[in-house]
Amino acid sequence: MNEQIPVKNVTPVKVHKPASTTEGKRYDSRSRIYVRAVKGPLETFRRFFGLFFLAIFAAIPWIRFNGQQAVLLDIVEQRFSIFGLTLWPQDLTLLAYIFIVGAFALFFVTTFAGRVWCGFMCPQTTWVYIYTWFEEKIEGPRNKRIKLDSRKMDADKFIRKTLKHTAWVAVALLTALTFVGYFTPIGALFIDFFTFNTGFWAAFSVVFFAVCTYANAGYMREIMCTHICPYARFQSAMFDKDTFTVSYDAKRGEQRGPRPRKLSHEQVHEKGLGDCIDCNLCVQVCPTGIDIRNGLQYECINCGACVDACNGVMDKMDYPKGLISFTSEEELAGGKTHIVRPKLIGYLIVLIVMTGLLVADIVTRVPLEIDIIRDRNSLYRETNEGLIENVYTVKVLNKSQQTQTYTISVQGLPEYTFIGNREVTVQGGEVYSTPISVATDPYNLEDVVTDIQFTVTTTTDSGENVTVNEPTKFLYR
């Protein structure tokens, strides 16, 4: 009972808050963040990277494949068409593989390079950049926007605000129309929407997603990243000391403070100052309003805006770049970053395995499915010729996007009579139902229940023979 628990002394982290300015509560979490524009290689790459995927998002619904919309996720018909691949509710494993591969790809990238998904590819980040771009072009740079919001409404302010919100609404509407176009034919959607002929649910969906886009990118912005998105909360489980994140080199930067530009780098160090001049540009360009000099924070989206801002200041001061950079905790501590490590290898192995299973599932997928439904009105009936007859409904599901002709036959029943269509033609991505009767002499039946199977065969356009068997029962007595 006299044993003491060892206590480890931990030096508390000193949080440096920016000096107070005329903006009042500019850095209050409840205050609006006025993001300062920044130029640099990372910012240029981030913009073009996001706009590239935005262009893909906007173009895909307009692509035609085999005479129809290449990507159409028809929820009403429960049919997803993706470039010649038609998925049905029965293909749940394939959809599960796609989501699992996407999840582990995200885990792998996050373990290696932190939240680069949030900073470079997240739709929220891309749309916020678009909205901010309109805001800067119409209302001016950061300082002018602050002054514009602080003054009373006048003609100039009214015109600028009206133009800005008109641009925002236009972007939100185009975004919503494009998104809904993934779930309904996009050409007809655009025409029907602007001629007020669209259906209720399509119109409701467009308005709903337009409002969401307008609110998220125009007003909520960083709140989505810091309070709503769950990714910020569990990302730390994937981080380790070798994860590349946007970090501030405190050893090199402290003590921070202003200094004359005429002082050389060596003279600054002789005065006990670090490389950080405490200009707060890294805070002003941050889309989530944090100070990266306070260490790694869950609000950081790894966009690298502060890296470009700080490197620009270092250039002007004739200091070495990299005071803020993409680096690891291990490297900041003076060690060497280990690229190859167990956690990263584990994520990579799982990603490769799941990708292989996904590819194998697609390659071995049979573009045909059948379902046999017995007549529920009677188990069997006796014909005028004394034959025992069972009635079935055969459903043929054409999973391809080409019209196919199928041949239906029965196996396991001797000397049977087939009544119904032996050949059926089914359109691509459609389900065809046909009633079929099978009759045989009772002397051919050895038991009251006989196991039989329906066989459906076809030959694809590529010459491949496809055969699917579905077991069922033939009943007597």
Side-chain angles (χ1 to χ4, degrees):
M1 296 298 293
N2 294 327
E3 295 183 1
Q4 295 183 349
I5 300 176
V7 178
K8 181 180 179 181
N9 292 325
V10 178
T11 303
V13 177
K14 182 180 180 182
V15 177
H16 298 272
K17 293 185 178 181
S20 60
T21 64
T22 57
E23 303 169 33
K25 297 182 178 180
R26 155 67 177 83
Y27 300 102
D28 192 324
S29 61
R30 293 181 177 270
S31 300
R32 181 180 177 186
I33 296 176
Y34 293 88
V35 180
R36 185 188 186 112
V38 61
K39 293 182 179 179
L42 276 174
E43 181 67 13
T44 301
F45 174 76
R46 184 169 71 94
R47 290 180 180 183
F48 281 98
F49 195 72
L51 293 176
F52 171 74
F53 284 98
L54 175 62
I56 293 177
F57 163 77
I60 285 179
W62 296 99
I63 299 175
R64 309 290 293 179
F65 188 84
N66 290 334
Q68 59 184 355
Q69 189 169 321
V71 177
L72 183 59
L73 313 177
D74 195 334
I75 297 178
V76 176
E77 297 293 334
Q78 298 183 351
R79 179 179 62 196
F80 296 169
S81 301
I82 306 174
F83 287 95
L85 180 66
T86 303
L87 302 179
W88 298 82
Q90 298 91 325
D91 299 310
L92 179 62
T93 55
L94 189 59
L95 292 174
Y97 283 143
I98 293 175
F99 286 124
I100 292 173
V101 168
F104 276 97
L106 183 62
F107 297 162
F108 175 79
V109 172
T110 302
T111 302
F112 178 74
R115 290 181 66 182
V116 289
W117 159 265
C118 297
F120 289 81
M121 289 187 65
C122 178
Q124 174 73 8
T125 303
T126 302
W127 261 263
V128 167
Y129 162 68
I130 294 172
Y131 272 48
T132 304
W133 183 86
F134 278 107
E135 195 172 56
E136 291 176 351
K137 295 301 179 182
I138 297 172
E139 296 184 356
R142 176 175 177 271
N143 291 335
K144 288 187 177 181
R145 298 201 306 271
I146 295 173
K147 293 180 180 179
L148 182 68
D149 286 346
S150 63
R151 77 183 193 216
K152 294 181 179 180
M153 182 64 67
D154 53 24
D156 177 66
K157 182 175 181 179
F158 177 79
I159 292 173
R160 291 179 184 274
K161 291 293 183 181
T162 301
L163 289 175
K164 181 185 76 171
H165 288 283
T166 300
W168 283 6
V169 170
V171 172
L173 188 59
L174 288 175
T175 300
L177 284 167
T178 302
F179 182 74
V180 176
Y182 278 82
F183 303 91
T184 187
I186 192 168
L189 174 66
F190 267 77
I191 295 173
D192 292 343
F193 185 83
F194 289 108
T195 57
F196 303 100
N197 292 321
T198 186
F200 170 78
W201 286 112
F204 173 81
S205 299
V206 171
V207 173
F208 174 79
F209 287 111
V211 171
C212 289
T213 304
Y214 177 81
N216 290 347
Y219 290 96
M220 300 185 69
R221 296 190 178 181
E222 76 285 348
I223 296 176
M224 289 292 298
C225 305
T226 58
H227 293 84
I228 298 177
C229 178
Y231 185 39
R233 302 298 177 176
F234 68 80
Q235 62 167 337
S236 59
M238 292 167 273
F239 280 22
D240 55 35
K241 292 184 178 181
D242 297 296
T243 299
F244 287 100
T245 59
V246 175
S247 303
Y248 166 71
D249 190 349
K251 293 181 179 179
R252 174 185 159 188
E254 302 297 329
Q255 289 288 332
R256 68 182 73 164
R259 75 288 308 276
R261 292 183 61 179
K262 63 182 180 180
L263 292 180
S264 67
H265 199 207
E266 291 75 14
Q267 290 174 325
V268 168
H269 287 178
E270 290 174 359
K271 291 180 175 294
L273 292 174
D275 286 358
C276 179
I277 67 173
D278 204 18
C279 62
N280 290 329
L281 284 181
C282 57
V283 181
Q284 296 175 13
V285 301
C286 179
T288 58
I290 65 170
D291 189 342
I292 193 64
R293 296 170 295 180
N294 292 332
L296 180 64
Q297 299 149 74
Y298 78 89
E299 296 95 339
C300 178
I301 61 173
N302 257 29
C303 65
C306 56
V307 175
D308 282 332
C310 186
N311 284 340
V313 173
M314 294 296 104
D315 274 340
K316 293 178 181 179
M317 299 298 296
D318 198 23
Y319 294 172
K321 295 181 180 179
L323 179 60
I324 300 176
S325 63
F326 278 90
T327 187
S328 66
E329 182 183 346
E330 184 71 26
E331 194 165 339
L332 285 176
K336 184 178 179 181
T337 302
H338 301 88
I339 302 297
V340 180
R341 50 193 189 274
K343 181 188 289 188
L344 200 63
I345 294 176
Y347 282 136
L348 180 60
I349 292 175
V350 176
L351 179 60
I352 293 174
V353 171
M354 299 311 299
T355 303
L357 292 175
L358 172 61
V359 173
D361 199 348
I362 294 175
V363 171
T364 60
R365 181 173 178 269
V366 179
L368 167 64
E369 186 170 320
I370 63 173
D371 189 19
I372 309 299
I373 302 175
R374 287 187 48 82
D375 184 11
R376 294 185 176 89
N377 294 325
S378 61
L379 296 179
Y380 73 96
R381 64 186 179 188
E382 188 173 350
T383 66
N384 295 331
E385 293 80 12
L387 301 179
I388 302 301
E389 182 183 52
N390 281 205
V391 180
Y392 307 88
T393 298
V394 179
K395 288 188 174 183
V396 180
L397 171 58
N398 182 3
K399 290 186 175 181
S400 70
Q401 294 188 349
Q402 292 79 36
T403 301
Q404 298 288 342
T405 300
Y406 301 96
T407 302
I408 305 174
S409 60
V410 177
Q411 308 293 331
L413 193 65
E415 299 180 13
Y416 67 90
T417 301
F418 190 97
I419 305 171
N421 297 324
R422 281 189 174 271
E423 286 193 355
V424 295
T425 301
V426 185
Q427 301 293 324
E430 299 291 340
V431 180
Y432 184 88
S433 297
T434 180
I436 289 175
S437 297
V438 179
T440 188
D441 193 306
Y443 291 103
N444 296 327
L445 302 174
E446 298 180 356
D447 202 348
V448 295
V449 178
T450 303
D451 292 325
I452 65 173
Q453 64 181 10
F454 280 81
T455 301
V456 178
T457 60
T458 188
T459 302
T460 63
D461 294 339
S462 60
E464 179 186 1
N465 293 322
V466 178
T467 301
V468 174
N469 298 315
E470 182 67 18
T472 187
K473 305 290 185 181
F474 187 90
L475 304 181
Y476 173 48
R477 295 179 184 174

